[in-house]
Each structure stands twice: as structure tokens, then as C-alpha cells.
Amino acid sequence: MAGNEWINGYLEAILDAGGAKFEEGKERRSVEMVGGGVFNLTKYFVEEVVTGFDESDLYRTWIKVIATRNSRERNNRLENMCWRIWHLARKKKQIEWDDLRRLAKRRQQREQGRRDAAEDLSEDLSEGERDASAHGDSVRGPMSRIGSDLQSWTDDDEDKGLYIVLISLHGLVRGENMELGRDSDTGGQVKYVVELARALAATKGVYRVDLLTRQISSPDVDWSYGEPTEMLTRSTDAAWGDGDGSGAYIIRLPCGPRDKYIPKESLWPHIPEFVDAALTHVSNMARALGEQRQRGGSGHVWPYVIHGHYADAGEVAAWLSGALNVPMVLTGHSLGRNKFEQLLKQGRLSKDDINSTYRIMRRIEAEEYSLDSAEMVVTSTRQEIEEQWGLYDGFDVNLERKLRARARRGVSCHGRYMPRMVVIPPGMDFSYVNTQELLDGDADIAALIGSDRNQSKRNLPPIWSEIMRFFTNRHKPMILALSRPDPKKNVTTLLKAFGECRPLRELANMTLILGNRDDIEDMSGTSSSVLTTVLKLIDKYDLYGQVAYPKRHKQAEVPEIYRLAAKTKGVFINPALVEPFGLTLIEAAAYGLPVVATKNGGPVDILKALNNGLLIDPHDHKAIADALLRLVSDKSLWQDCRKNGLRYISRFSWPEHCRNYLSHVAHCRARRPSGRGPDASTPARPAVEEEEEPMSDSLRDVQDLSIRFSLDVDVAKANGDDNTTSKRELILSALRSASKARSREPSQTPGFFRPGRRQRLFIIALDCYGQDGAPSGRLSEVVREIMEAGGDSRTGYILATGATLAEAWEALKSCHVEPEAFDALICCSGAEVYYPWKDVEGDEDYGAHIGYRWSQDSVRSAVARLARTEGATEDDVVAEDEGCSSRCFRYAVLRVDDLKQKLRMRGFRCNVVYTHSCSRLNVVPLFASRSMALRSVSQSLKVRFFYCVNVHVKVVISRGQLRLDLHSLVELDSSSSSCRNSTCLNSTQLDYITDSLNYRWGIDLSKMVVFVGDKGDTDYEHLLPGLHKTLILRGTVECGSERLLRGSGRYQMEDVVPKDAPNICTVDKEYTAQEISAALKKL
């Protein structure tokens, strides 16, 4: 019954703290905390009752209150409140039970996915390979740090001239005077990415490093966070090279409200805007770097790798990787699933509360998508791979090992893919460590602890005196612990170990550096509790004169604290319950301190590399005391650990980190097939040795200095005349003849594609279907009004739909609109792109790009198998032949719960889109989507008007055809004197040239307007945000597929589309050309 007495006390405290208001669902009593936080007394006592007592105790208390109740108001309130808290505890238990069932079901699904993958992967193995594979799975050995086929980065790679892009979206990022700890978003990650950018830029072979982050022009933060560009100064570490490039830069891009500094949980709807801005910056920088490296040439230096840090930047990197065909690397820093499980175990917040507070489901989906797209994931420890990334659908340790082994043997993986997990510990800057001083004598410490302290003229650090004043005997070795006052850091167990081990107390002193404080009562609840317990334990074991706990220290004084402990021949200890990495262990080793560390987490890898200390069980205070006593008392062991730490500490330096990093990236690039982009590793080389005239911006995406195209001309005549002027006339004559023939073509509709004349693009993405999935008649009316609002030929049109090409063609014909009037048709939910003004063949370049990691036969088989497990019939799992292609499988009303998740578990990376009012399912490649296709097409169509060409040609006779090289295409004004020395072509001739080249022109995304309804296919919401303008025509879509978009408990639309976005406008009911034009003016 003792438990019930405690409950009674808590209940009485709740009444005193505002129980009446608690009964009404409100809370009255609260205490203002330092830093602006609020500590609520009622909430605190309720949590103590709910989390600290069993349901049966609460029930007995309620029965007792009922039995002893009387008419007094306080007793009635106590009875009512006791009943409510009892039911709250029951609800908590039910939530925990539901979570356990959810985890068990998910574990079962993962096991089934693993078995399916193993079965498929074993089908094409020989008997010997199967035995070897089975043996490899049963014997779990250490994961190799560098594979046998990986080559280390050396100085021989210094001439590569790499361009590397890092992305860290949230927090306050700047190179100097970082405000670490200002808020939860500005912490260790900010310091890490800035130092990584500096280190990479100082590595030989790296030409430029850009760190992309958010631009913040808020009055609440320093003005420097609003500067678009900041150059990072280089480190003074002598181990780093001088670098051979332009250095490292912080590039700040506008994203979200520019006048507000918002937390990372509120940034999710603005990510597409950041993606578009980053895409523009990277494209412009690639061109500019190419011109710099080529002395005015036109080669592009595309990024060698795009590296996203944290979930938000990982999603940005995934989009950029898909758009540019550049390998992506991911570093999670902290993971959403791990945090989600921990919050659920605490039981203080429900699943919905966690999701609404932390946007946790949106974060988890971003991490899953990042895993889908990443070539490599950088982790700090092996524990992070197995215990944290292992929680995700997109990664399985055993399957990843199998796929890696098969790839190494050259055996097909049947379209399955897992990113490569590599352990690369964070680097450190050891430039401030004076190794010679560490090896010198102990004159300075002798001066500090000697009887005559004025005999030395040395200027000793003030923090030394601040610590030494606590000790009665200053000659003892110092046991140093440095952490924030957090229960997870386990400082109280350390004090218990020290207090209960008399030999250790007689042999050593202890120093606890636990943050900064003025008054313990003003600190947060957990910090205050830890520090209070520390003081109580010091008093309990009478440790006065043996334990130092200074109130304040500066960050710059931390190295001096390490030095002091090393001078006294002390030991550093990290007794945390779980330590993800253990940066303080590396810092201590750099100053010659042996270490004692927890065996849970990253310290295992650190001590394996450094061999400079002992591992302990953080829950065993006797083991902690024994390890400390052993190191302090055994001087030979202490010296060995000290020497090993100083010898191997370079393994954790930034130069070593960068070499490992670039080696792994190079290995991943070697495994990645070349796509539509140029070779990103090196700038393009000139086609000829002589200095060429530089290209203008109009050809900024050309991969070479020459663009070749063929014309049928009289070869004999070309061979017979060597005069350059005659050759030019011959070529121009052929161009004129071709353009005249084209001008006689009948398909000269008003909207016919005219390259160079487009000033804006209208993208029609209206999913107008009826209940039966057939196109509705409303589409015809809206399309005609949109095209009327577009006006003349300066406006181009693109149709983006989940329908097939045949369906889209028929729909346009029913609208009395010629398909040739459209610049592009995006069909099958972004799996296919057509240019009807040119032909009806799909864009092979785009198809090859999105086909990366796509195995159509394996995906088709997996979808059918999953459908059968859900009870689908044979007819359901047969893809529609008319709607299928090599990049898209279409099924009729095939419903598989969490199909994309289950495909991920099996190693397949796909997009799943429900369309045609939920009557059709499109399964397409990962990088295929309407929003991704728009960004690709935007690089294919030109918006400005070019009407004058400066042509320099070289004639090459090949197979009966005359080939010419077009070296320069420049934009000229009609009044410009530059036309005097140019060969002027009319617009029709220019049309022919650009059509023949089928060249990818750049377009300003802000000149694109996307027309959508207020509902649509399940990929509809991704069409709304970005730098482009969006016009929502309310009521145009009768029936959408959004009800199948996501299940319960997932993230919502407000996590994807920003509220009150200035570039999104809604038109109600009236869809006339005048209303549409008026709405566009508002945008």
C-alpha cells in the first residue's frame, strides 16, 4: 500500500497545482523557466502518476476514494480526477500494446521481404555459390571498412578538379563565430558541415566546395545569415594541402518566408522551392567553373557528388541527384525512426501528438526517399548502421551484404538495390594541439601545485586555478568527465563508483565539467535534477576536496582542461548509457589522455582504432571503478595507452576523413552507369587544340565545344571546292532548302513549337476524370480557355498526365486541340516524355535517365506476388497491355496496402501512383514523376528569342554526307553591330537548326505556370510547391485519387504544400480566359 500513499500525495499535489482546471481540459499553474520555457506543475504530477505506478494501484486508489468520499467539494474533485487519471493510464497501456503489435507486424513484413529477396536472388546461383552465400549469412563477421575493390584516394588524383556540393538546410550556418547551442537546430551538425567543407576544399584534387543552406533575413538573427555568399577561410592545419581550387563557400538560397527564422519542423513544405533554387545555382556554377577551367571555353564542371546532411537536406539532395544524374551521399546525423520509437516508449505523447509536434512521419518518409536515391550513406559507427538504419524499410543489413557480394562477383541483382553503408568517423582539427608541449616536462603543472607559486613566470590558464581550488591534495591524478548534465550521460553512476571505491579515492581526484550554470534552480528540469543529485552524492560519500565541479568554463578553455588532466597523468572517462559516437574521446586522445568509455555505441570503434583505453558496462559501477583504478595505478599501462592515442590519432583527422570519403565516393561512381549528364568528374575538354571562341549563355548545357549535325548535300561539289566562302554558301543553301521544305508542311497551327520564342510555359496537369475513370468533358472547356489566356506563340504548352500517350492524344483531339500545339506531353505519371511537334517517339534520353535501378521484369513479378498475398485475383495482377511500357506498368484497380513500402523492403525502388479516379495504378521508376519530368523538360525548351546566329564551321565528309561543327550560337540584338560579321538566318532557318539538334535549352522555372484542380492523382500535391507559379482551378476535377494517397498516421498535405504561398493562387468556379489572366497577374 506504500505505492497508494505516494499516489495520494501526487493527487493532492495535482489539486493544489490546479486540478479543477485539469478536469476541464485546461491547465492553470505554470512556472516560467530560464530561456523562455514553461514548466507546468499539473502536467508534471500527472506524468509522475501515469508513468510511475501500475494500473492496479490507480484502480485501488479510486476505490478507496469512493469508499471514503463525503459531500466536501475537494473529495468529489479527487474522486473525479482519480478516475480520469486511471483511464489515462489504461489508455497509455493500450497505446503501448498497439505499438508493440505494430512493431511486430512490421518486423514480420521485413522478414517476409527478406525471404522473398533471398529466394529470388538464389535462383540464378550455382550450388557452390548457394552454399557460400548461406555460409556467409550464418557467420556474421566484421564489416570491412574498405572493400577489396576500393582504391584509396592519393595525391595522384590532384588534377581532377572536382566540384562538390554539400547541403545542410536548417539552423544558423556561418563560417566564423558559430552560435552553437543557440537553439536546437544550431548544434554539432552546423560545425561538422562547415569544417567538412573547409577540409574538402583543402584536399588536393578538389576545385570548389559549395555548402548550400537557407538564406535568413530575419531581424531576429544576425545580418550575416542573409548574405547570399560567404567564403570560408582555410584551416591552419599543416597536414592539409594548400588546395588547388577556388575554395569553399557557403551559398544561402531563399526558401520559405525570408523574414522569419523558422524551425526545421516547419521547413518541409518549402523544400521544393529550395530544390529549384539549388538546381539553378548548381547549373550556373557548373557552367561558370567550366569556363574558368577551360579559359573561356564552354565545358561544364558538374558536381562530383551531392551530399545531404539530415533528412531535409537528404530529400533536397535526392531531387538534385535525380535531376542532374549526379551520385548522392547521405549523412543522417540523427534519425526519425529512432526518435519516434524512443518517444513512444516514454509514453508521454501519443502517436498523433508526436507527429504533429515533430512532423516525424514527414521526416521518416524523407529519410526513406533519401535511402532510395543515395549511392552511399556515411555513418559514424557500426552501431548506427545495425541499430538505427536497420529500422528503415529501405535498408536491410543482410540483404545489403548479399547484393554487395553479388555485384562484386558480377552476378545480377534483379533490379534490387541497397545503398552502401560506410563508417567514416567525423574528422577533427588538431592544429591547436602542440605535440611537443605534451612531450615536454611538467614544469607548468609543478608551478601550479608547488608551494611557491610565484616562482614561475609562466602564464598559466585561469581554468587550471579554477579547478585546482577544489582539491585538498593537488598532486593526485585527475579523472576527467566532460558532458552536459543529462541523465543519459550517467554521471551519477560515475560518482557512485568513485565514492564507493576507497583505493580510487585515495589515489585520484575527479573533475566534472557539466556545462555552465548560475543557479541550479533556474535550469531545466532534467539538468537541475542531475546537478542536484551530483551535489547530494558528493555530500553522501564526503567527497569534499576530492571532486571539482566548476560553475563556468568557456569553449576555448576545453583544450586547457584536457591538458591539465594529461599533465597530472589522469584519465578521461565517458560513462554514457549509450554514446552514438564519442567525439570527446578523440579530443582527449589528442592530448595524450588514456580513456575509459562505455561499451554501448561508437566508443567501441574508437578504442579499436586507437587502442588507448578500456571499455566498461555503464550500469556496473564496480566495473567503472576497477577500470579507472587499473589505468591510474598501472603507470606502464597508462604510458602505453597515451602513446597509442597520440600515434593513431591521425586516423580521425580531417585529411584522413576526406581521403576515406573521396575513396568511397569514387568507388560508388565507378559502380554507377553513365547517364544523360556529362562526366562530372572532370571538366569537358576542348575538341581542338587551338583557342576557340567562347560559347554564349544560349548553349550553356553543351558538353563539348562542337555540336555536330548532318545534312544531305552534294559531296562531289564539296570536295571540288576548297574555298571557305563557297562551303559556307553550300551549307546555308542546304539549310534554306530544308527550311523551305519545312515551311510547306501543313501542321502550322498557331501554337506550333517555335524554339526560342517561348517566354513562358503553361503546364496543364488537370486530372479530369469521372467516377468510372474516363476523361470528363470539363477538360475540353478548361484547355481551350487556358490556351486562349496564353495568347500568341510566345506561350508554350505542356500536358502532364497519368494517362498513356494514346489516351492523352485522344483527349486532346476531343478538345479540338491539335497535339502538335503542345511543346511536350508528359504521360504515364512522368514515366514518358514526348515532343509532338517533332515526332511521337519518346524521349530516349529521359527514359534512359529514369531507368536507373529499374528492372521491369523483376518489379512486375514482385507486384504480382504482393497482390496475391493481399487476396487479389489472377485478373487483378495482370498488367494492362495497352497501358504498359518498358517504364510503366498499369494495373486496373489493384489495391495493395503500403505497396511502395513492401517493394522497398525487397530492395525495389519505385514510384506508385493511383490515377483515373482510383481505377488505375501506375508503377514507374523511382526518378519518374510528373514533378521531376517538369524540371527535366524545363531544361529542354527555350524561352528567350534567338534570331541571329554566328556560325563557324568545319566541313567533314563522312559516308556521303557533309557534317559541320557549329561552334558558337549567340543572342544578338537586331540593332547590334555584331550582326555585321555574322551570317544572319531567319527564324524559320533557326527553327530547323534547333529542331535538328534537339538541344536542351535552359528555362527559368519562375516562368512556368502549373494548372491543377483542387484534387487529382496521388502525385498531385507534389506539383503545387516550387519556384513555378501554380493556379488551382477549383471544381474542375470531379473525382480524385487522394483517398489512396496515404494511410492513417502518415504525414498530411500541409507538410508538403506551404500555406499562404505567394506563388499559389486559387480560381473559383469561373474558368474563362479573362479570369485566368487576372489570376496570373496576381501571381
Side-chain angles (χ1 to χ4, degrees):
M1 295 299 294
N4 289 81
E5 294 301 325
W6 275 103
I7 294 175
N8 292 337
Y10 277 125
L11 295 179
E12 293 289 343
I14 293 172
L15 287 177
D16 293 336
K21 296 295 182 184
F22 168 75
E23 295 174 20
E24 299 173 4
K26 302 178 182 178
E27 297 172 347
R28 183 181 64 186
R29 294 283 299 278
S30 61
V31 178
E32 294 291 335
M33 302 297 294
V34 174
V38 176
F39 176 67
N40 189 278
L41 300 176
T42 303
K43 182 177 180 181
Y44 170 78
F45 288 124
V46 171
E47 287 181 352
E48 289 294 319
V49 174
V50 172
T51 60
F53 298 95
D54 188 76
E55 176 191 347
S56 58
D57 290 333
L58 292 170
Y59 176 73
R60 286 195 297 268
T61 301
W62 179 52
I63 295 297
K64 180 179 178 181
V65 170
I66 293 177
T68 59
R69 69 181 177 185
N70 54 39
S71 58
R72 288 171 27 179
E73 179 186 357
R74 185 177 180 85
N75 281 9
N76 291 334
R77 289 167 54 202
L78 185 62
E79 175 190 346
N80 186 21
M81 184 175 56
C82 182
W83 181 86
R84 287 171 59 86
I85 294 178
W86 171 42
H87 280 270
L88 186 63
R90 295 182 65 187
K91 183 178 179 181
K92 175 178 176 292
K93 180 177 287 188
Q94 182 63 39
I95 292 175
E96 292 175 350
W97 174 248
D98 292 341
D99 290 335
L100 288 175
R101 289 193 298 176
R102 177 182 56 83
L103 291 174
K105 181 179 179 181
R106 188 167 178 275
R107 192 178 300 112
Q108 183 181 4
Q109 291 175 343
R110 288 173 59 85
E111 290 296 330
Q112 182 60 45
R114 184 184 302 170
R115 287 193 295 268
D116 290 346
E119 180 182 345
D120 290 345
L121 293 175
S122 63
E123 289 179 354
D124 61 345
L125 294 180
S126 64
E127 292 297 329
E129 287 175 324
R130 292 182 188 180
D131 294 340
S133 178
H135 178 73
D137 288 343
S138 61
V139 181
R140 184 176 179 179
M143 297 175 63
S144 60
R145 186 177 184 184
I146 297 180
S148 58
D149 54 349
L150 187 146
Q151 298 180 355
S152 298
W153 190 267
T154 65
D155 289 342
D156 296 336
D157 301 303
E158 64 183 35
D159 61 342
K160 287 194 172 183
L162 307 182
Y163 172 37
I164 295 176
V165 175
L166 309 178
I167 307 173
S168 183
L169 190 56
H170 63 261
L172 300 172
V173 182
R174 65 182 180 187
E176 304 297 333
N177 301 319
M178 289 179 278
E179 300 181 80
L180 303 180
R182 168 178 173 142
D183 52 68
S184 59
D185 293 349
T186 310
Q189 176 182 329
V190 171
K191 180 180 179 182
Y192 172 80
V193 295
V194 170
E195 292 184 352
L196 175 62
R198 282 198 180 104
L200 286 172
T203 304
K204 291 184 177 180
V206 177
Y207 187 74
R208 179 184 172 109
V209 178
D210 280 348
L211 172 56
L212 309 185
T213 189
R214 178 172 176 253
Q215 185 181 33
I216 307 168
S217 302
S218 170
D220 299 331
V221 300
D222 191 74
W223 63 270
S224 59
Y225 300 112
E227 290 295 300
T229 305
E230 175 185 351
M231 184 174 184
L232 295 176
T233 58
R234 292 181 176 178
S235 172
T236 58
D237 192 343
W240 289 355
D242 294 333
D244 56 357
S246 59
Y249 298 84
I250 296 177
I251 306 298
R252 300 184 178 91
L253 304 174
C255 171
R258 301 190 182 186
D259 58 343
K260 292 182 181 179
Y261 175 49
I262 57 179
K264 58 179 177 291
E265 290 81 9
S266 301
L267 283 175
W268 293 111
H270 306 288
I271 281 184
E273 181 182 349
F274 191 90
V275 170
D276 292 342
L279 185 60
T280 301
H281 168 78
V282 172
S283 299
N284 292 339
M285 185 55 60
R287 175 176 55 86
L289 291 178
E291 293 176 353
Q292 292 177 14
R293 300 280 289 183
Q294 297 296 328
R295 298 179 182 178
S298 62
H300 279 57
V301 180
W302 292 101
Y304 189 69
V305 68
I306 297 176
H307 190 162
H309 294 266
Y310 194 78
D312 48 12
E315 182 169 312
V316 174
W319 278 92
L320 293 179
S321 173
L324 299 174
N325 193 27
V326 174
M328 172 201 163
V329 173
L330 173 67
T331 299
H333 291 277
S334 66
L335 300 182
R337 281 203 187 275
N338 188 51
K339 182 173 184 176
F340 183 51
E341 300 299 337
Q342 290 179 353
L343 291 173
L344 285 176
K345 288 179 181 178
Q346 292 177 3
R348 297 182 178 182
L349 295 174
S350 67
K351 187 176 180 179
D352 292 337
D353 291 337
I354 295 173
N355 193 24
S356 62
T357 302
Y358 298 101
R359 300 292 191 269
I360 201 74
M361 303 312 296
R362 178 69 177 87
R363 173 179 171 183
I364 290 174
E365 179 57 31
E367 290 164 340
E368 292 281 12
Y369 181 62
S370 300
L371 277 177
D372 290 342
S373 307
E375 296 284 343
M376 182 176 80
V377 177
V378 177
T379 67
S380 300
T381 64
R382 199 168 287 109
Q383 176 260 353
E384 181 182 346
I385 298 175
E386 299 174 354
E387 298 183 13
Q388 297 186 42
W389 283 116
L391 298 173
Y392 285 78
D393 301 329
F395 181 76
D396 181 85
V397 175
N398 295 328
L399 182 56
E400 190 271 340
R401 290 178 178 176
K402 282 187 177 182
L403 295 176
R404 191 197 312 178
R406 291 173 68 91
R408 190 171 298 170
R409 295 198 303 267
V411 182
S412 172
C413 294
H414 299 293
R416 289 178 167 83
Y417 172 80
M418 289 283 169
R420 180 75 178 270
M421 294 278 174
V422 297
V423 179
I424 308 178
M428 289 190 61
D429 182 5
F430 299 123
S431 59
Y432 53 83
V433 179
N434 190 334
T435 306
Q436 185 60 40
E437 183 182 284
L438 296 176
L439 299 177
D440 287 343
D442 299 328
D444 46 5
I445 191 66
L448 179 64
I449 64 178
S451 56
D452 185 5
R453 300 176 192 171
N454 295 324
Q455 64 183 353
S456 175
K457 297 182 180 180
R458 286 180 180 239
N459 294 323
L460 299 179
I463 191 65
W464 287 16
S465 301
E466 177 66 20
I467 292 174
M468 283 298 186
R469 70 182 178 87
F470 285 88
F471 299 136
T472 303
N473 185 349
R474 304 178 181 180
H475 295 270
K476 292 182 181 181
M478 178 192 299
I479 298 171
L480 173 63
L482 189 153
S483 69
R484 64 181 184 274
D486 190 297
K488 294 181 292 186
K489 298 303 180 181
N490 203 30
V491 179
T492 54
T493 303
L494 172 62
L495 264 178
K496 183 179 181 181
F498 185 70
E500 294 184 2
C501 184
R502 187 176 184 86
L504 185 61
R505 291 169 54 185
E506 293 176 349
L507 192 60
N509 293 322
M510 178 172 287
T511 298
L512 303 177
I513 306 297
L514 303 176
N516 295 297
R517 64 186 184 276
D518 291 320
D519 190 340
I520 294 178
E521 293 183 355
D522 294 335
M523 302 182 72
S524 64
T526 55
S527 299
S528 176
S529 175
V530 169
L531 287 169
T532 301
T533 305
V534 166
L535 296 179
K536 289 181 178 180
L537 288 173
I538 292 174
D539 185 74
K540 175 182 179 180
Y541 295 110
D542 194 16
L543 300 179
Y544 298 106
Q546 295 175 286
V547 177
Y549 41 96
K551 298 183 67 171
R552 300 178 193 84
H553 71 280
K554 299 177 181 178
Q555 184 66 28
E557 292 176 326
V558 171
E560 303 297 342
I561 298 174
Y562 287 124
R563 284 184 56 221
L564 176 61
K567 292 287 186 181
T568 63
K569 295 180 170 57
V571 177
F572 179 81
I573 181 169
N574 183 339
L577 299 177
V578 177
E579 182 59 61
F581 179 61
L583 198 61
T584 54
L585 297 174
I586 300 175
E587 292 175 343
Y591 289 93
L593 266 177
V595 300
V596 174
T598 176
K599 66 177 184 179
N600 300 328
V604 176
D605 295 328
I606 293 176
L607 265 67
K608 184 178 179 180
L610 297 180
N611 191 25
N612 70 327
L614 304 172
L615 295 172
I616 48 92
D617 181 356
H619 300 281
D620 188 346
H621 67 277
K622 292 184 179 180
I624 295 175
D626 291 343
L628 289 171
L629 184 61
R630 182 182 171 189
L631 273 176
V632 171
S633 60
D634 190 341
K635 295 303 178 183
S636 62
L637 177 62
W638 188 91
Q639 286 291 348
D640 290 341
C641 290
R642 171 187 172 89
K643 291 179 181 178
N644 289 339
L646 292 174
R647 180 186 306 168
Y648 300 122
I649 193 63
S650 61
R651 296 179 177 179
F652 296 93
S653 65
W654 275 118
E656 181 69 15
H657 177 96
C658 292
R659 281 190 288 269
N660 287 337
Y661 175 82
L662 292 173
S663 299
H664 283 290
V665 172
H667 177 62
C668 290
R669 287 182 57 85
R671 294 186 297 131
R672 182 186 179 101
S674 61
R676 61 186 177 126
D679 181 7
S681 62
T682 57
R685 301 294 181 186
V688 291
E689 295 297 329
E690 63 268 22
E691 185 173 347
E692 301 286 352
E693 182 172 330
M695 280 191 178
S696 68
D697 294 350
S698 63
L699 288 181
R700 55 173 172 261
D701 285 334
V702 180
Q703 301 174 21
D704 202 347
L705 283 179
S706 62
I707 305 176
R708 294 180 177 268
F709 61 92
S710 301
L711 296 171
D712 293 325
V713 298
D714 189 344
V715 178
K717 183 175 180 181
N719 285 328
D721 189 354
D722 292 333
N723 184 274
T724 304
T725 304
S726 300
K727 291 179 180 179
R728 177 191 292 182
E729 292 299 327
L730 179 62
I731 294 167
L732 292 178
S733 176
L735 286 174
R736 293 188 186 100
S737 299
S739 62
K740 289 178 181 178
R742 226 183 128 98
S743 65
R744 292 192 295 268
E745 295 178 358
S747 57
Q748 295 293 331
T749 59
F752 192 77
F753 181 72
R754 297 290 184 183
R757 294 195 177 188
R758 304 309 192 200
Q759 293 185 351
R760 59 181 178 179
L761 285 176
F762 282 2
I763 294 92
I764 301 175
L766 294 162
D767 303 318
C768 297
Y769 304 107
Q771 293 287 347
D772 58 352
S776 65
R778 195 167 299 178
L779 177 65
S780 173
E781 175 186 350
V782 177
V783 168
R784 287 197 299 269
E785 294 295 336
I786 291 176
M787 298 188 75
E788 183 179 345
D792 56 22
S793 61
R794 291 177 297 179
T795 300
Y797 302 96
I798 297 175
L799 179 66
T801 177
T804 64
L805 174 63
E807 292 172 338
W809 204 277
E810 183 179 352
L812 291 176
K813 289 290 187 180
S814 66
C815 299
H816 304 289
V817 175
E818 290 296 328
E820 291 86 352
F822 281 78
D823 296 348
L825 300 179
I826 300 172
C827 302
C828 298
S829 302
E832 299 172 356
V833 174
Y834 300 90
Y835 304 103
W837 49 270
K838 177 175 175 286
D839 52 42
V840 291
E841 298 295 330
D843 188 338
E844 296 180 0
D845 195 20
Y846 176 77
H849 170 59
I850 66 172
Y852 182 45
R853 299 179 190 159
W854 172 256
S855 176
Q856 52 183 340
D857 294 335
S858 299
V859 172
R860 184 197 294 261
S861 175
V863 171
R865 180 184 305 174
L866 290 172
R868 291 190 186 98
T869 61
E870 297 284 338
T873 64
E874 289 297 327
D875 293 336
D876 291 333
V877 299
V878 177
E880 295 182 349
D881 293 335
E882 294 181 357
C884 288
S885 67
S886 60
R887 307 290 184 220
C888 177
F889 298 137
R890 169 177 285 193
Y891 298 87
V893 203
L894 175 62
R895 182 75 170 98
V896 180
D897 290 336
D898 300 321
L899 175 60
K900 187 173 182 179
Q901 173 190 12
K902 293 176 180 178
L903 287 172
R904 272 176 175 159
M905 290 179 177
R906 288 154 177 79
F908 295 111
R909 314 294 171 165
C910 313
N911 268 338
V912 176
V913 182
Y914 285 93
T915 181
H916 287 65
S917 300
C918 303
S919 64
R920 296 292 185 273
L921 168 67
N922 289 340
V923 181
V924 298
L926 174 67
F927 292 135
S929 67
R930 287 192 287 178
S931 55
M932 182 68 78
L934 287 180
R935 288 170 172 83
S936 177
V937 172
S938 72
Q939 301 299 315
S940 304
L941 303 174
K942 184 166 170 46
V943 291
R944 289 175 300 180
F945 177 38
F946 293 85
Y947 55 86
C948 190
V949 190
N950 185 8
V951 183
H952 302 272
V953 298
K954 288 188 294 185
V955 179
V956 180
I957 306 301
S958 175
R959 297 183 182 180
Q961 288 186 327
L962 175 68
R963 301 179 64 86
L964 60 86
D965 289 350
L966 177 64
H967 284 168
S968 182
L969 179 61
V970 295
E971 181 180 11
L972 300 172
D973 187 83
S974 59
S975 60
S976 173
S977 60
S978 301
C979 288
R980 298 172 185 172
N981 298 324
S982 303
T983 302
C984 296
L985 304 179
N986 59 40
S987 60
T988 306
Q989 293 167 338
L990 180 57
D991 285 351
Y992 182 78
I993 293 177
T994 52
D995 288 356
S996 299
L997 295 177
N998 191 23
Y999 179 70
R1000 295 186 170 273
W1001 308 100
I1003 184 174
D1004 186 355
L1005 291 172
S1006 64
K1007 296 182 179 180
M1008 294 171 53
V1009 182
V1010 179
F1011 294 86
V1012 297
D1014 52 352
K1015 61 184 72 172
D1017 297 348
T1018 51
D1019 64 344
Y1020 151 82
E1021 61 187 25
H1022 291 287
L1023 293 167
L1024 303 179
L1027 287 182
H1028 62 264
K1029 301 175 178 63
T1030 302
L1031 207 59
I1032 301 176
L1033 306 180
R1034 194 182 301 276
T1036 53
V1037 178
E1038 177 183 348
C1039 184
S1041 304
E1042 67 280 352
R1043 66 178 182 274
L1044 299 180
L1045 178 59
R1046 58 180 71 91
S1048 60
R1050 303 294 181 89
Y1051 63 91
Q1052 301 303 313
M1053 187 172 179
E1054 54 264 26
D1055 297 326
V1056 181
V1057 183
K1059 296 181 179 178
D1060 303 325
N1063 58 339
I1064 299 179
C1065 182
T1066 301
V1067 178
D1068 292 318
K1069 297 182 180 180
E1070 296 293 337
Y1071 312 120
T1072 63
Q1074 293 76 14
E1075 292 292 334
I1076 293 175
S1077 299
L1080 291 175
K1081 291 180 179 179
K1082 295 179 182 179
L1083 293 175

